Amino acid sequence: MTAYEVAVRARAELGEGPTWDAAAGRLIWVDILASRVHTYDPASGRRTVRTTEQHVGAAKPRTGGGLVLNLRDGVGLVDPDGTFRRLHHDPLPGRRGNDAAVAPDGSLWAGTMRYDEAPGGGTLTRLTGDGTAEVVLPDATVSNGTGWSPDGRLMYYVDSPTRRIDVFGFDGRRVTGRRPLARIEEGAGFPDGLTVDADGCVWVALWDGAAIRRYTPAGTLDRVLRLCLRTARLRTIRPAGRPWCT
């Protein structure tokens, strides 16, 4: 048995996307439907909340400070002084930004989905710092977790309704050879956000499954962390006495 402690107690309509900002020493996460970006500094206990003008699917730290936001109508930047500006504007009625991840080269891979979760209504798009956008995966339904192997040669990806974690070859920009790494069995929930650890293992959170799973690079399930959930409460957790996972 592994003991856990609640690191942050926060109510959320749809709390997602916890990201550790190593440079600033803070945790970042979003409440998508409340249009809020939260931060928490565990050293000082300081918390902040920024309200966005649109639903916000993900918030990631920028190298020079500030944030990049995956919003309903595209991607925006928050500068270190708090100024907001658009990076990429791509509005489509009925669609919003969802999970996003930063690739080894610093580009943002931003997912989208339709509010009604219509099949094929979402995408995964690669964006660079000058606003150049390239759709990498069209016809996604609920574009979710994205991550890369430690050597940068593989990319892992979740389109939640497929109940799969997929793996691609990765050359630094393009993906090839999509195949299933692991399948989530019926009744266990749906794969959602993911991260890759230093051993190359994939950790995936199960929406409606109250668990986090760890899969080896071969696709073998080798660890399950079960969670106790409470209605309408986001519980961001960490192993007791251990640092945040990055």
Side-chain angles (χ1 to χ4, degrees):
M1 296 291 293
T2 302
Y4 296 92
E5 63 185 74
V6 175
V8 184
R9 291 189 182 275
R11 292 186 178 277
E13 291 185 51
L14 185 57
E16 292 207 13
T19 300
W20 179 246
D21 181 352
R26 63 179 182 173
L27 179 71
I28 304 166
W29 77 97
V30 300
D31 185 346
I32 296 176
L33 298 181
S35 304
R36 291 174 182 164
V37 178
H38 296 259
T39 71
Y40 169 65
D41 181 340
S44 67
R46 182 173 183 264
R47 294 172 60 174
T48 69
V49 181
R50 180 187 180 100
T51 301
T52 59
E53 293 183 358
Q54 301 177 353
H55 290 162
V56 54
K60 303 297 175 182
R62 297 163 59 196
T63 301
L67 299 169
V68 57
L69 308 178
N70 193 23
L71 299 163
R72 185 193 66 200
D73 293 344
V75 173
L77 300 176
V78 178
D79 291 331
D81 65 2
T83 303
F84 173 81
R85 53 195 171 94
R86 292 188 184 276
L87 178 68
H88 176 66
H89 192 222
D90 184 27
L92 185 68
R95 190 185 71 178
R96 68 168 174 84
N98 203 46
D99 205 357
V102 179
D105 68 349
S107 59
L108 183 76
W109 291 56
T112 62
M113 60 175 284
R114 287 191 56 83
Y115 282 96
D116 61 6
E117 300 185 15
T123 60
L124 180 66
T125 299
R126 177 182 183 268
L127 295 105
T128 57
D130 63 2
T132 301
E134 174 187 5
V135 176
V136 179
L137 297 177
D139 303 322
T141 298
V142 180
S143 185
N144 251 317
T146 305
W148 289 266
S149 60
D151 63 8
R153 298 175 63 183
L154 299 174
M155 188 186 88
Y156 300 96
Y157 176 69
V158 163
D159 184 357
S160 292
T162 68
R163 294 185 180 273
R164 297 194 315 263
I165 304 168
D166 288 342
V167 58
F168 300 77
F170 186 69
D171 67 2
R173 177 175 176 177
R174 296 177 178 84
V175 293
T176 57
R178 183 175 189 168
R179 61 180 174 83
L181 175 78
R183 299 179 187 273
I184 309 302
E185 66 273 17
E186 190 78 26
F190 293 85
D192 202 310
L194 66 76
T195 192
V196 183
D197 65 23
D199 296 323
C201 294
V202 179
W203 295 79
V204 61
L206 299 183
W207 186 89
D208 200 30
I212 300 169
R213 291 184 176 186
R214 182 182 191 248
Y215 289 90
T216 70
T220 302
L221 176 63
D222 76 340
R223 197 174 305 179
V224 178
L225 308 181
R226 302 196 182 280
L227 308 178
C228 178
L229 303 183
R230 295 180 180 177
T231 303
R233 183 175 295 274
L234 166 69
R235 296 168 64 84
T236 303
I237 63 169
R238 64 180 172 89
R242 298 174 64 182
W244 289 102
C245 297
T246 56

